[in-house]
Amino acid sequence: MSFATCDLCDHHEDKLAAGTLHVLPPIFASFGKQNTFAGPVRTLKVFEDNVLVRAALETPGNGHVLVVDGGGSLRCALVGGNLGVLAQKNGWAGILVNGCVRDAAELNACDVGIRALATHPQRSFRKGAGDADLKVTIAGVAVYPGDWMYADVDGVLISRTQL
């Protein structure tokens, strides 16, 4: 899949105006080998607990993007090197974390696209709390399971439909 988020915005100004295409604020750092990635979205809502993140990434990704609403917490990491390897092995196109990641060097060796707010060396709790496959809000943008995410070096887009 070849695209540029700038071109997608230019070609779909009507969708931007209608609110069916959104540009996430430029707050996400890039990790992983894939600077450009896209796919249909699966969602998780967790807080400082990555049990559901691991469980999701252990399943076949089939080119999906896992969007993890970690509440924007900067107190621990929700994704690390082992989960990056799982995402790659199981065919996920990418991961977006509204929170932190760790093991940045290991993540950068994975053939997957990853966006997160920051790095943090501490791992998360492991209680298994959270919800899957529901609407989440990432940086003020509603993201639904089945939406499409497009990410490249210029930014991250969320679209209600495949572009």
Side-chain angles (χ1 to χ4, degrees):
M1 179 179 294
S2 178
F3 65 88
T5 57
C6 294
D7 292 340
L8 291 175
C9 286
D10 292 351
H11 294 308
H12 297 285
E13 289 179 340
D14 58 329
K15 293 180 185 302
L16 288 166
T20 59
L21 176 62
H22 299 275
V23 180
L24 292 183
I27 58 174
F28 295 97
S30 180
F31 304 91
K33 285 185 178 179
Q34 295 299 321
N35 287 322
T36 301
F37 63 97
V41 167
R42 289 185 49 200
T43 62
L44 291 175
K45 185 174 184 75
V46 300
F47 189 73
E48 298 179 358
D49 183 334
N50 78 342
V51 170
L52 293 182
V53 178
R54 173 178 285 281
L57 295 174
E58 287 175 337
T59 67
N62 299 318
H64 283 74
V65 176
L66 184 63
V67 174
V68 180
D69 180 1
S73 173
L74 301 176
R75 298 189 308 194
C76 65
L78 294 173
V79 173
N82 291 336
L83 297 188
V85 170
L86 269 178
Q88 173 185 308
K89 176 182 147 195
N90 290 322
W92 290 85
I95 307 167
L96 180 131
V97 181
N98 185 25
C100 295
V101 297
R102 69 186 210 158
D103 304 319
E106 292 175 32
L107 291 176
N108 287 334
C110 294
D111 193 19
V112 66
I114 302 167
R115 299 292 187 274
L117 296 177
T119 57
H120 195 293
Q122 183 179 336
R123 70 179 177 190
S124 73
F125 298 106
R126 295 181 180 165
K127 296 180 180 178
D131 295 294
D133 299 320
L134 70 165
K135 177 190 124 186
V136 296
T137 302
I138 306 295
V141 175
V143 181
Y144 297 86
D147 282 355
W148 276 73
M149 187 176 123
Y150 297 84
D152 69 5
V153 295
D154 288 313
V156 179
L157 307 179
I158 300 293
S159 176
R160 299 288 173 252
T161 59
Q162 183 176 5
L163 302 177

